[in-house]
Amino acid sequence: EDKVVQSPLSLVVHEGDTVTLNCSYEVTNFRSLLWYKQEKKAPTFLFMLTSSGIEKKSGRLSSILDKKELFSILNITATQTGDSAVYLCAVEASFPVVNNRKLIWGLGTSLAVNP
Amino acid sequence: DAGVTQSPTHLIKTRGQQVTLRCSPKSGHDTVSWYQQALGQGPQFIFQYYEEEERQRGNFPDRFSGHQYPNYSSELNVNALLLGDSALYLCASSRGQDATNEKLFFGSGTQLSVL
């Protein structure tokens, strides 16, 4: 059965700290891995990763994928209170016979950044 | 440019009742997907609508049904509500049935409570 596991489930840090969020997966027909940030309600897209070893970066956030060890990390440096949110990892899998794709979601990591 | 809008934002129902949730996709988008997100869980895919037809479906019972209108807006209907249907229901839109998932735009969701 396809699964995506995120760790830790919850994290509390102080402003200025650096955090690393983990996402491991066991998915057949892997296409891509995506990170989303969910504040209050609507998830917002952060990164899509398809190739191993290529870091994607956006400001203080960065992410990398290891397709051999089947995991990804999301780093946030110099955290701010506005980074407080649930960070969701999702893996996109394809089904060539029926030409369908689906997302398998992790449970998320709840990050709280205290001033 | 309006993003994805969902209504209502909150809803309280009792067991056995029926509910209809509504979604208007982002301007220019023609594909709508619905997700159920229980507290502390990642989103679970319910189904996707494109060209007014259900194109993909997740592992949800027939009590969950939907509709897409010619203007691309969509409804999610749930019959015979159970306590376990209490969740945040997210609508996501994209352009084209085969759009990759980084192109998904999520609405803020409808929080459904079943008493």
Side-chain angles (χ1 to χ4, degrees):
Chain A
E1 183 182 346
D2 294 335
K3 63 179 179 181
V4 174
V5 178
Q6 292 187 245
S7 63
L9 290 180
S10 179
L11 191 56
V12 181
V13 300
H14 290 292
E15 268 192 318
D17 289 350
T18 293
V19 298
T20 298
L21 311 183
N22 303 288
C23 176
S24 63
Y25 61 92
E26 292 178 26
V27 174
T28 54
N29 299 312
F30 174 93
R31 286 180 62 96
S32 64
L33 185 145
L34 301 101
W35 285 96
Y36 287 84
K37 177 182 182 182
Q38 187 172 27
E39 296 173 274
K40 298 183 182 178
K41 298 248 179 112
T44 53
F45 170 76
L46 294 175
F47 299 111
M48 185 178 80
L49 304 158
T50 55
S51 302
S52 275
I54 299 175
E55 185 183 53
K56 294 226 173 171
K57 198 170 172 65
S58 176
R60 296 177 293 103
L61 278 67
S62 63
S63 183
I64 198 162
L65 173 68
D66 186 329
K67 290 171 73 173
K68 181 180 177 184
E69 300 297 329
L70 307 183
F71 78 93
S72 173
I73 60 172
L74 174 68
N75 278 318
I76 308 175
T77 58
T79 51
Q80 302 172 357
T81 55
D83 296 326
S84 298
V86 174
Y87 290 83
L88 292 164
C89 171
V91 173
E92 184 180 40
S94 64
F95 300 91
V97 173
V98 295
N99 195 29
N100 273 349
R101 291 192 293 258
K102 70 173 183 178
L103 284 176
I104 303 110
W105 295 80
L107 296 181
T109 292
S110 177
L111 173 65
V113 181
N114 292 327
Chain B
D1 177 25
V4 180
T5 57
Q6 291 187 244
S7 63
T9 54
H10 293 81
L11 198 54
I12 300 175
K13 291 283 191 177
T14 56
R15 281 180 296 175
Q17 285 189 311
Q18 178 265 344
V19 68
T20 297
L21 311 181
R22 295 179 175 81
C23 172
S24 292
K26 179 178 168 61
S27 178
H29 286 187
D30 56 10
T31 303
V32 172
S33 301
W34 286 92
Y35 290 82
Q36 179 195 66
Q37 187 175 20
L39 189 64
Q41 306 284 317
Q44 299 292 314
F45 175 72
I46 304 175
F47 42 54
Q48 179 193 70
Y49 275 84
Y50 173 72
E51 292 186 337
E52 302 179 49
E53 290 189 18
E54 182 183 296
R55 299 292 179 165
Q56 296 185 49
R57 190 178 181 93
N59 189 25
F60 278 79
D62 292 344
R63 297 185 299 109
F64 289 77
S65 63
H67 188 79
Q68 186 179 34
Y69 294 94
N71 67 353
Y72 309 121
S73 67
S74 177
E75 289 180 354
L76 164 65
N77 300 296
V78 187
N79 294 323
L81 284 168
L82 304 174
L83 296 180
D85 295 332
S86 296
L88 178 68
Y89 288 84
L90 293 165
C91 169
S93 74
S94 58
R95 188 163 78 176
Q97 182 188 0
D98 294 327
T100 49
N101 283 291
E102 83 274 21
K103 303 297 185 186
L104 283 179
F105 284 79
F106 284 87
S108 295
T110 294
Q111 185 66 54
L112 173 65
S113 298
V114 182
L115 305 179

